Amino acid sequence: MEKRRLGTSDLLVSTLGLGCMSLGTEQKHAVNMIDEALEYGINYFDTADLYDFGLNEEFVGQALKKRRNDIILATKVGNRWNDAKDSWTWDPSKAYIKEEVKESLRRLQTDYIDLYQLHGGTVEDNIEETIEAFEELKQEGVIRYYGISSIRPNVIREYVQNSSIVSVMMQYSLLDRRPEESALPLLHDNGISVVARGPVAKGLLTEKGEQKLAAFEGKGYLDYSGTELAKTIEEFRHVRPTHSSLNSTALQYCLANPTVASVVAGASSSSQLRENVKAVEASPLQPTEISKLQSIFKANQYEAHR
């Protein structure tokens, strides 16, 4: 599988990363899925201390400890469970980050994290203190690099200007092209990579997308009503009708942007994982196909707001 450099780091990540949040709470299944991902050439695994109260990190650590030098391990910090474990609060403080990283290292069964990410962020945070925490962890050798997970342009801008982040994880798909205006040019100009999450838009941009549409009737998706969703997705499907799945069209669209290093997709079954692997290994989109996809998006967005 193709590898791309993450920002200005020396981390080479597979164009498909495994979003581990969807692995579930049964250890054997989770470990088997990770093993299968490794067989396909995936080397980038993304988890967070928040997922299943840390259990997800434990499963990832158990599965990857014997392959530690072969993989890029990413996790996140900033959301703090309360004592009852029924909600969490936002805590980007230096004290919490430097304490919580120890717990992540323990659960992941490793002595370093390749990419440590702030799991959110607001402009009201003490951003200088947060950056200081990550920089100190780098100096201590506890983390190799750091990034943020955010879709907020003002937050992204603050970290671009004042930190040494190498990546921003953000929601990006054919149905959500907001990053193209708000973030991608800025990040590209500063040598910072995007890790795209949600590239298949809650499963809508897959071969089983039609089955997912019923769940969006009445509430829609972003600015799309259920009817507009169905129309747009059907038009996307016909851009490459003869040799490509909708899933591959969706993932290849994200990967066509030079700022994107990897698309992180979850998979709860072997069939979903195989579908994602086939999608990133499909032929890249041609410029004319990209233009057609963008024209469909713009036309239907205009119609949605008339």
Side-chain angles (χ1 to χ4, degrees):
M1 185 176 294
E2 180 191 351
K3 306 293 191 300
R4 295 184 180 181
R5 187 174 302 280
L6 196 67
T8 56
S9 76
D10 60 359
L11 303 178
L12 298 177
V13 298
S14 49
T15 48
L16 175 65
L18 182 63
C20 296
M21 183 175 68
S22 60
L23 293 177
T25 56
E26 204 282 308
Q27 181 171 350
K28 183 177 180 181
H29 170 75
V31 170
N32 286 342
M33 288 290 294
I34 292 171
D35 286 343
E36 188 172 353
L38 287 163
E39 291 175 6
Y40 286 126
I42 294 171
N43 78 336
Y44 183 39
F45 296 86
D46 181 87
T47 181
D49 58 0
L50 186 71
Y51 302 159
D52 297 316
F53 313 107
L55 187 64
N56 195 261
E57 284 187 328
E58 291 183 15
F59 289 170
V60 172
Q62 181 65 31
L64 296 175
K65 62 181 180 180
K66 293 182 179 178
R67 301 286 299 274
R68 185 66 187 90
N69 294 332
D70 302 326
I71 59 101
I72 305 299
L73 185 55
T75 191
K76 312 182 197 74
V77 67
N79 293 295
R80 186 172 195 160
W81 284 108
N82 63 13
D83 292 339
K85 305 294 188 193
D86 57 4
S87 67
W88 62 82
T89 56
W90 176 239
D91 189 350
S93 67
K94 179 178 178 180
Y96 180 66
I97 291 170
K98 297 200 72 174
E99 188 60 34
E100 184 60 17
V101 72
K102 298 175 186 176
E103 292 301 307
S104 286
L105 291 170
R106 177 184 60 81
R107 290 188 291 259
L108 291 165
Q109 300 186 54
T110 184
D111 56 4
Y112 70 96
I113 294 166
D114 297 296
L115 180 68
Y116 204 34
Q117 301 160 101
L118 186 68
H119 204 172
T122 73
V123 290
E124 287 76 33
D125 296 341
N126 186 339
I127 293 177
E128 182 178 350
E129 178 186 305
T130 301
I131 292 171
E132 190 174 274
F134 283 106
E135 290 291 346
E136 288 182 7
L137 291 175
K138 274 182 63 178
Q139 293 169 9
E140 295 163 7
V142 175
I143 66 174
R144 295 176 66 189
Y145 300 97
Y146 66 98
I148 62 172
S149 177
S150 178
I151 60 171
R152 294 174 171 166
N154 290 342
V155 172
I156 292 170
R157 193 173 299 112
E158 284 292 322
Y159 280 89
V160 169
Q161 293 174 350
N162 298 301
S163 78
S164 60
I165 59 170
V166 297
S167 65
V168 177
M169 173 178 271
M170 63 176 63
Q171 182 169 300
Y172 180 42
S173 74
L174 265 173
L175 288 172
D176 187 359
R177 292 178 53 209
R178 290 175 295 178
E180 294 177 3
E181 295 182 0
S182 63
L184 293 181
L186 172 67
L187 295 174
H188 184 264
D189 289 346
N190 285 274
I192 298 168
S193 288
V194 164
V195 175
R197 64 174 177 83
V200 294
K202 297 184 183 295
L204 288 166
L205 299 174
T206 67
E207 292 309 287
K208 295 183 179 180
E210 292 179 0
Q211 300 172 21
K212 304 281 187 180
L213 279 170
F216 293 90
E217 280 297 332
K219 61 179 182 179
Y221 178 81
L222 298 177
D223 290 332
Y224 290 94
S225 69
T227 301
E228 290 159 350
L229 262 182
K231 177 177 182 290
T232 303
I233 291 169
E234 186 61 22
E235 291 181 19
F236 285 157
R237 193 182 299 277
H238 284 89
V239 171
R240 304 179 101 192
T242 59
H243 65 284
S244 183
S245 67
L246 180 58
N247 193 17
S248 68
T249 299
L251 297 192
Q252 290 295 336
Y253 180 80
C254 293
L255 290 170
N257 192 295
T259 314
V260 175
S262 182
V263 290
V264 171
S268 58
S269 67
S270 292
S271 60
Q272 288 180 342
L273 181 58
R274 285 194 299 271
E275 185 178 354
N276 290 335
V277 171
K278 288 180 181 178
V280 298
E281 293 183 342
S283 57
L285 291 169
Q286 298 301 307
T288 53
E289 294 171 328
I290 294 172
S291 296
K292 177 63 175 175
L293 290 165
Q294 291 176 339
S295 68
I296 291 169
F297 174 89
K298 289 179 180 177
N300 288 331
Q301 281 289 286
Y302 172 75
E303 184 175 315
H305 288 92
R306 283 203 314 189

